Amino acid sequence: MPAEPAPDIDVFLSGLLFFDLVFTGLEQPPSPGTEVWTGGMGSGPGGIANFAVALSRLGLRTSLAAAFGTDVYGRYCWDVLARQEHIDLSRSRRFPEWHSPVTVSLAYAGDRAMITHGHPPPVPVAELAGSPPPSRATVAHIGLDTADWVHTAHQAGSLVFADVGWDPSEAWSPALLEQLACCHAFLPNDVEAMRYTRTDTPEAALSRLAELVPIAVITRGGAGVLAVDGTTGETAAVPALPVDVLDATGAGDVFGAGFVAATLTGWPLAERLRFACLTASLSVQHFGGALAAPGWHEIAEWHARTRRPDYAFLDEVLPAETVAGIRRGPVTLGFGDDSWR
């Protein structure tokens, strides 16, 4: 029998998209009755867009199914993703009179706090994803009842990379871990991992997750990352790269995109983690999540400047020709460019 043709899409994603407005330079969060001036700000698509843009900037053919409003925020995000970042939006939809979700991210003390306003999209995200197209990998946000499209993608042979968000109820139901049965890799942070597994250390949480999913990865911010790959028998712990953090918004998503790209490249576990740490460390030096994600130009510049022996594997994948730089988040919508109108 002839071999199945390779899918036209490398990574398929579906999830909730936000317009992000980021303030940096805060010494402390505002208190009631006070006003705080910041030293910097930026804006851009957020939420699932963080993952999608980071993947596309690493050269992966990326398709996104998400809801967009037709308000100024939604039109701006659509244009940036489709025209600037070359992400396939054929499964996304625009909804008139629906207010796009908006997140204000306050960056201080090496981390960020968020304030979000939004309403459920007129059509569930799972309906937008539908029967997902063939892809090498799928990125999904799992919950207590992971949508059927994720299971469909898994059954079709796509590698499912899952993350999970903050539980506002703080119940951290262990039942969520049952959803990992369809996943190839799970990438929570240390707080999420420990609370869902009812453990006291990241190491204990990793051991528990390794029983449930082929690849378990736990990010620890400035403390680095731990992982186990049950498909190869590898374990690894990689330190974070020392950088001056401007804004940590979306850094976990950019890390995840780096790990997906490195996994599809076929590197050993430690090199996958180092590459993901590099993409995240380059992103936190700029505003926002999606538009702070690095491209190959930024990665090549870093590698040429540092020449770290533990990153020598980059020599195998860096483009031989100069790659154009990428665009960062503007101060406000359309600043210096009204093409999105």
Side-chain angles (χ1 to χ4, degrees), residues 77-250:
C77 290
W78 182 285
D79 185 76
V80 167
L81 297 180
R83 294 176 56 184
Q84 176 179 308
E85 302 299 333
H86 310 295
I87 293 167
D88 170 46
L89 299 180
S90 60
R91 288 176 177 257
S92 294
R93 287 177 57 185
R94 306 190 204 206
F95 295 96
E97 301 183 2
W98 178 60
H99 191 300
S100 299
V102 175
T103 292
V104 174
S105 182
L106 307 177
Y108 62 94
D111 209 331
R112 81 287 182 271
M114 296 181 175
I115 304 171
T116 297
H117 170 75
H119 306 279
V123 169
V125 169
E127 184 175 328
L128 294 174
S131 178
S135 62
R136 298 170 65 198
T138 297
V139 173
H141 184 93
I142 63 169
L144 289 174
D145 185 15
T146 297
D148 289 342
W149 72 268
V150 179
H151 296 274
T152 302
H154 166 67
Q155 292 167 357
S158 182
L159 300 177
V160 177
F161 294 77
D163 70 353
V164 66
W166 180 264
D167 181 1
S169 73
E170 298 195 45
W172 308 100
S173 173
L176 178 138
L177 300 181
E178 298 173 5
Q179 305 301 314
L180 296 179
C182 69
C183 299
H184 179 68
F186 184 42
L187 298 91
N189 64 35
D190 50 358
V191 173
E192 296 159 349
M194 288 187 290
R195 295 191 180 180
Y196 278 117
T197 59
R198 302 298 193 269
T199 54
D200 297 326
T201 66
E203 292 79 7
L206 184 68
S207 178
R208 170 63 178 140
L209 293 176
E211 300 172 354
L212 305 174
V213 66
I215 302 175
V217 180
I218 296 179
T219 59
R220 301 185 295 159
V225 58
L226 305 171
V228 173
D229 185 341
T231 68
T232 63
E234 297 170 281
T235 62
V238 171
L241 291 168
V243 296
D244 293 327
V245 177
L246 175 69
D247 174 28
T249 304

Side-chain angles (χ1 to χ4, degrees), residues 324-341:
I326 45 89
R327 295 178 64 180
R328 300 295 183 189
V331 174
T332 190
L333 277 75
F335 185 77
D337 177 11
D338 290 334
S339 62
W340 56 272
R341 289 184 180 275

Side-chain angles (χ1 to χ4, degrees), residues 216-334:
V217 180
I218 296 179
T219 59
R220 301 185 295 159
V225 58
L226 305 171
V228 173
D229 185 341
T231 68
T232 63
E234 297 170 281
T235 62
V238 171
L241 291 168
V243 296
D244 293 327
V245 177
L246 175 69
D247 174 28
T249 304
D253 296 329
V254 177
F255 173 93
F259 189 78
V260 171
T263 299
L264 295 180
T265 301
W267 286 329
L269 180 61
E271 294 180 356
R272 283 178 267 161
L273 297 178
R274 289 191 182 98
F275 184 75
C277 284
L278 173 59
T279 58
S281 72
L282 293 175
S283 77
V284 299
Q285 300 175 66
H286 300 277
F287 294 105
L291 301 185
W296 285 111
H297 177 77
E298 290 72 27
I299 293 170
E301 283 190 333
W302 177 89
H303 186 49
R305 185 173 65 253
T306 62
R307 300 308 302 180
R308 288 179 54 131
D310 51 344
Y311 279 84
F313 63 89
L314 289 176
D315 293 329
E316 304 172 7
V317 295
L318 288 174
E321 299 180 0
T322 302
V323 179
I326 45 89
R327 295 178 64 180
R328 300 295 183 189
V331 174
T332 190
L333 277 75

